[in-house]
């Protein structure tokens, strides 16, 4: 007898988040050495973590028999100082993905709504479904950016969370300060606006959303250490928000949700501004290299403000599979409603060159 009819229907009916294919699994399937696989699927940092973070984490290993600081006091205190907010206006999570779920715990239930752009991080719709909330998807503008005025029009008295991904995943576009300010001037007070800024470190134009937190607005600014800081494997993200919203997040989270290694690694990474500079520089150089080759090949792509690029290759699933067979892992976009595209993480020069060589070979055979 199946137990599923007795399970929570919202969970049973979920389509689970599908991460990028791991290097180890690909190596086993292809009979290749892991070092011969290039993974450009999950927007990780090819430079790796900061040397300062590595050293701090190595030293912390000796203390893993003790529970970590449940309040993440040192990390949250540093973040509060950096953003000019109080300690009570911060929260940390097991990646920013956990913070998205914790916001769901705080605000969503059947009869409520979530508003987000059509092309947004998959976790928004998953969390809405998990808590029985309606998910309202607003089409992007012709230039692929969020239609913030359209999102305003989609807000109803039942709307609790509005997610603005800036720069956006999976397309890489962003909205500027003027558009954000115009949106915030009109958004109703019963809505919590979530600015998901996982890729903001890579953007040429920085948008100040933390000022709304300092102004007492119902805003949560989410950042992560998984991308520019190169700490995806230890999972740590943070929220800058109001005391009330941070209080709700901290009530909903599990005890010790951010482990010791993550806390000390993140804190040390914040001090390594040189590593952050090199990471951004690597992406800028790689982005220019992809643009040049795609232009020469006549491929349509979306100019990006992120460490990934979305490119139109025809049958995205087929190109993904053919690249995978050659040891290059990209991300097919059919699950996002973009079956003609693949998403490519911008890595180091050697990784980018291998990916471009493989794409030239595959597309030349068409």
């Amino acid at each position: 007898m199946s137990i599923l009819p007795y399970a929570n229907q919202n969970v049973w009916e979920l389509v689970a988040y599908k991460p990028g294919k791991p290097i180890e699994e690909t190596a086993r399937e292809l009979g290749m050495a892991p070092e011969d696989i290039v993974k450009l699927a999950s927007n990780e940092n090819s430079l790796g973590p900061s040397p300062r973070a590595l050293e701090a984490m190595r030293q912390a290993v000796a203390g893993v028999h003790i529970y970590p600081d449940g309040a993440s006091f040192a990390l949250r205190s540093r973040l509060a100082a950096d953003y000019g907010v109080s300690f009570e206006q911060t929260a940390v999570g097991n990646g920013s993905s956990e913070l998205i779920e914790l916001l769901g715990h705080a605000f969503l239930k059947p009869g409520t709504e979530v508003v987000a752009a059509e092309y947004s991080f998959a976790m928004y719709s998953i969390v809405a479904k998990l808590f029985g909330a309606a998910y309202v998807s607003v089409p992007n503008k012709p230039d692929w950016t969020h239609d913030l005025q359209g999102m305003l029009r989609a807000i109803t008295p039942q709307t609790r969370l509005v997610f603005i991904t800036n720069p956006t995943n999976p397309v890489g576009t962003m909205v500027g300060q003027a558009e954000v300010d115009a949106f915030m001037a009109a958004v109703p007070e019963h809505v919590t606006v979530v600015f998901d800024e996982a890729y903001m470190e890579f953007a040429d134009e920085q948008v100040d959303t933390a000022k709304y937190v300092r102004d007492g607005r119902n805003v949560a600014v989410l950042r992560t250490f998984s991308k520019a800081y190169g700490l995806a494997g230890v999972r740590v993200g943070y929220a800058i928000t109001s005391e009330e919203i941070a209080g709700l997040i901290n009530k909903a989270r599990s005890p010790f949700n951010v482990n010791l290694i993550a806390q000390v690694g993140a804190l040390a990474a914040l001090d390594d501004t040189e590593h952050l500079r090199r990471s951004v520089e690597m992406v800028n150089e790689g982005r220019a290299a992809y643009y040049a080759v795609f232009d020469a090949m006549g491929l349509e792509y979306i100019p990006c403000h992120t460490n990934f690029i979305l490119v139109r290759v025809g049958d995205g699933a087929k190109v993904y599979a053919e690249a995978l067979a050659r040891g290059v892992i990209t991300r097919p976009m059919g699950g996002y409603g973009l079956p003609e595209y693949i998403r490519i993480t911008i890595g180091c020069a050697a990784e980018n060159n291998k990916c471009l060589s493989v794409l030239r070979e595959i597309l030349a055979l068409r």
Side-chain angles (χ1 to χ4, degrees):
M1 176 181 171
S2 172
I3 199 65
L4 292 180
Y6 299 93
N8 185 324
Q9 187 173 5
N10 291 334
V11 177
W12 178 18
E13 294 178 349
L14 270 180
V15 177
Y17 178 78
K18 187 175 182 181
K21 197 173 182 71
I23 290 175
E24 294 77 12
E25 180 182 343
T26 303
R28 287 194 302 270
E29 291 176 355
L30 298 179
M32 297 174 67
E35 58 267 25
D36 293 330
I37 305 294
V38 171
K39 184 187 178 189
L40 299 173
S42 300
N43 309 332
E44 295 140 335
N45 187 338
S46 292
L47 283 183
S50 146
R52 292 191 186 187
L54 275 178
E55 181 56 31
M57 291 187 289
R58 287 192 188 102
Q59 292 183 19
V61 166
V64 295
H65 61 298
I66 302 296
Y67 283 111
D69 178 359
S72 300
F73 181 81
L75 178 57
R76 289 175 60 199
S77 295
R78 170 61 186 275
L79 292 169
D82 284 354
Y83 281 90
V85 299
S86 70
F87 177 83
E88 290 75 19
Q89 290 175 284
T90 65
V92 291
N94 186 30
S96 55
S97 297
E98 186 193 26
L99 292 165
I100 293 168
E101 180 182 346
L102 292 172
L103 287 166
H105 278 288
F107 291 106
L108 302 181
K109 60 184 179 180
T112 62
E113 297 174 349
V114 171
V115 172
E118 179 181 7
Y119 300 116
S120 291
F121 186 32
M123 282 301 298
Y124 308 153
S125 60
I126 289 173
V127 166
K129 178 72 174 176
L130 184 63
F131 293 100
Y135 185 73
V136 180
S137 176
V138 178
N140 288 54
K141 295 196 291 188
D143 65 357
W144 296 85
T145 59
H146 281 22
D147 181 358
L148 295 189
Q149 293 304 306
M151 294 171 78
L152 274 176
R153 291 190 293 272
I155 292 172
T156 73
Q158 287 72 47
T159 304
R160 294 295 175 266
L161 298 175
V162 174
F163 286 99
I164 298 174
T165 323
N166 205 32
T168 184
N169 178 22
V171 296
T173 57
M174 69 179 295
V175 290
Q177 190 74 58
E179 291 176 270
V180 169
D181 289 345
F183 174 88
M184 288 301 301
V187 70
E189 286 296 315
H190 72 276
V191 171
T192 295
V193 181
V194 184
F195 290 101
D196 187 348
E197 299 180 348
Y199 299 94
M200 187 62 82
E201 288 85 0
F202 299 110
D204 293 332
E205 175 191 356
Q206 295 297 297
V207 178
D208 182 8
T209 50
K211 68 178 182 179
Y212 297 115
V213 176
R214 294 189 290 269
D215 288 344
R217 301 293 300 277
N218 297 324
V219 163
V221 180
L222 306 185
R223 293 283 185 103
T224 183
F225 288 91
S226 295
K227 311 302 180 185
Y229 290 98
L231 293 174
V234 295
R235 311 299 299 122
V236 55
Y238 63 91
I240 305 299
T241 186
S242 70
E243 288 190 25
E244 287 183 334
I245 294 171
L248 292 169
I249 290 172
N250 284 312
K251 285 181 178 181
R253 69 176 174 87
S254 63
F256 314 111
N257 63 322
V258 177
N259 68 69
L260 170 66
I261 305 302
Q263 289 185 39
V264 300
L267 187 58
L270 288 171
D271 285 327
D272 198 341
T273 55
E274 174 60 17
H275 180 266
L276 180 61
R277 184 196 65 78
R278 290 178 58 229
S279 298
V280 173
E281 184 178 82
M282 177 190 73
V283 168
N284 288 338
E285 292 174 355
R287 185 188 293 149
Y290 277 105
Y291 287 177
V293 173
F294 290 162
D295 286 338
M297 294 175 68
L299 292 177
E300 178 186 336
Y301 60 90
I302 300 173
C304 61
H305 300 267
T306 53
N307 68 335
F308 62 82
I309 185 168
L310 198 67
V311 58
R312 189 175 188 177
V313 293
D315 186 336
K318 187 172 184 181
V319 170
Y320 158 78
E322 292 179 359
L324 184 66
R326 291 163 171 82
V328 175
I329 311 173
T330 61
R331 191 70 174 265
M333 290 286 103
Y336 281 88
L338 297 166
E340 295 184 339
Y341 290 81
I342 59 172
R343 193 189 68 191
I344 303 170
T345 302
I346 300 169
C348 66
E351 293 171 327
N352 298 335
N353 289 339
K354 180 170 181 177
C355 179
L356 288 167
S357 176
V358 163
L359 285 178
R360 284 192 191 97
E361 178 184 345
I362 292 170
L363 297 177
L365 297 175
R366 301 286 165 105

